[in-house]
Amino acid sequence: MRFKIVYLVIIFLTTASCFSQDMRKGNLFFNVGPEYRITPIYNAGVSSLSKEANYTNIDLQNSGMALNIGAAYFLTHNLSIGFNNSFRHDIVTTGQGPNNTLSSTDRGLLIGYHFRANYMFEVFGKGSLIISLGYSLLNRNSEFSVHEPLYDMNGQETGVQTYLADYKFGSNSVSLGYGIGKSKLMIGLYLAGNSVYFNERTTFMIPFLTYGYDFGKL
């Protein structure tokens, strides 16, 4: 009798395990969670700052807290593709700039668009090791107006030149983490090679730590 009960339990657990493994494939999972970005790291050969960089603080603008909201679709049990929006209320411009043309710090809602592919390796029985590669569009909605005085040959101010600038740039991303149940914790890097901050192509990295929670699925 005991053997039959054990046998039935084994069959039940095996069936449940197979069923749970099929739960991810073909489903769309919605997720939300915070992200903390650490101060950027620049390569040794950093070039001179652009004129636009004088109007902001690069370190402050690209570090701090963000809120991620998005979704991931599982092509297989382990492979998924996802999209996330990030939202940050952070610095856009400061009071520092050519001729002190900006007088105060301006903050705004900075938005990011993140496209990622994730692969999960089941480890330790209940959890999964996660590797993620992607591409991000950062600092969208960072447009600002620049007002610069114009001078004649005698150094007399003759008017004001106005134009729009922004701090948006694209970045590759790589991250590694661990997931269990509906939660996952990831650590990674945004790897940017071209931005408006420098006069020449300059590589810099933005380390980040993020937590995600799957709150629903289709």
Side-chain angles (χ1 to χ4, degrees):
M1 182 64 179
R2 290 182 179 179
F3 176 77
K4 289 183 178 180
I5 293 176
V6 173
Y7 181 70
L8 290 174
V9 169
I10 292 175
I11 292 177
F12 172 77
L13 292 177
T14 303
T15 304
S17 176
C18 293
F19 177 73
S20 63
Q21 288 184 355
D22 290 336
M23 289 290 285
R24 289 202 298 249
K25 182 180 178 180
N27 285 318
L28 182 68
F29 288 80
F30 300 95
N31 55 75
V32 63
E35 176 177 294
Y36 181 72
R37 299 177 189 173
I38 304 170
T39 304
I41 302 171
Y42 308 94
N43 65 13
V46 62
S47 66
S48 60
L49 294 175
S50 66
K51 181 172 64 175
E52 287 76 16
N54 292 321
Y55 290 104
T56 193
N57 183 308
I58 303 175
D59 289 349
L60 291 179
Q61 188 174 74
N62 291 286
S63 61
M65 294 298 299
L67 176 65
N68 288 330
I69 301 175
Y73 179 78
F74 279 83
L75 300 173
T76 69
H77 175 61
N78 294 318
L79 177 64
S80 66
I81 54 175
F83 171 78
N84 281 77
N85 268 137
S86 64
F87 302 93
R88 301 169 50 230
H89 187 262
D90 217 320
I91 184 174
V92 177
T93 58
T94 68
Q96 301 175 354
N99 303 309
N100 295 316
T101 52
L102 295 174
S103 59
S104 62
T105 299
D106 181 33
R107 295 180 180 273
L109 181 64
L110 300 179
I111 301 173
Y113 303 103
H114 310 273
F115 306 87
R116 292 191 176 104
N118 311 300
Y119 196 86
M120 306 174 71
F121 300 89
E122 294 185 2
V123 293
F124 309 127
K126 296 182 179 180
S128 298
L129 180 68
I130 306 171
I131 296 178
S132 178
L133 300 174
Y135 187 78
S136 297
L137 304 173
L138 299 174
N139 289 349
R140 266 50 189 174
N141 201 42
S142 61
E143 292 81 7
F144 67 101
S145 297
V146 178
H147 307 283
E148 294 185 341
L150 297 175
Y151 300 93
D152 60 21
M153 297 183 63
N154 297 320
Q156 298 296 317
E157 185 174 335
T158 59
V160 176
Q161 172 183 282
T162 301
Y163 65 92
L164 288 176
D166 60 66
Y167 296 108
K168 60 187 179 183
F169 63 93
S171 171
N172 295 313
S173 68
V174 57
S175 56
L176 178 68
Y178 182 75
I180 183 169
K182 295 182 179 181
S183 299
K184 57 182 177 291
L185 185 65
M186 306 286 291
I187 185 170
L189 293 170
Y190 292 112
L191 307 168
N194 195 15
S195 70
V196 297
Y197 299 121
F198 306 101
N199 288 321
E200 299 176 0
R201 184 179 179 88
T202 300
T203 301
F204 64 98
M205 301 178 293
I206 305 174
F208 66 86
L209 178 67
T210 182
Y211 169 79
Y213 180 79
D214 294 332
F215 63 88
K217 71 173 184 176
L218 285 178

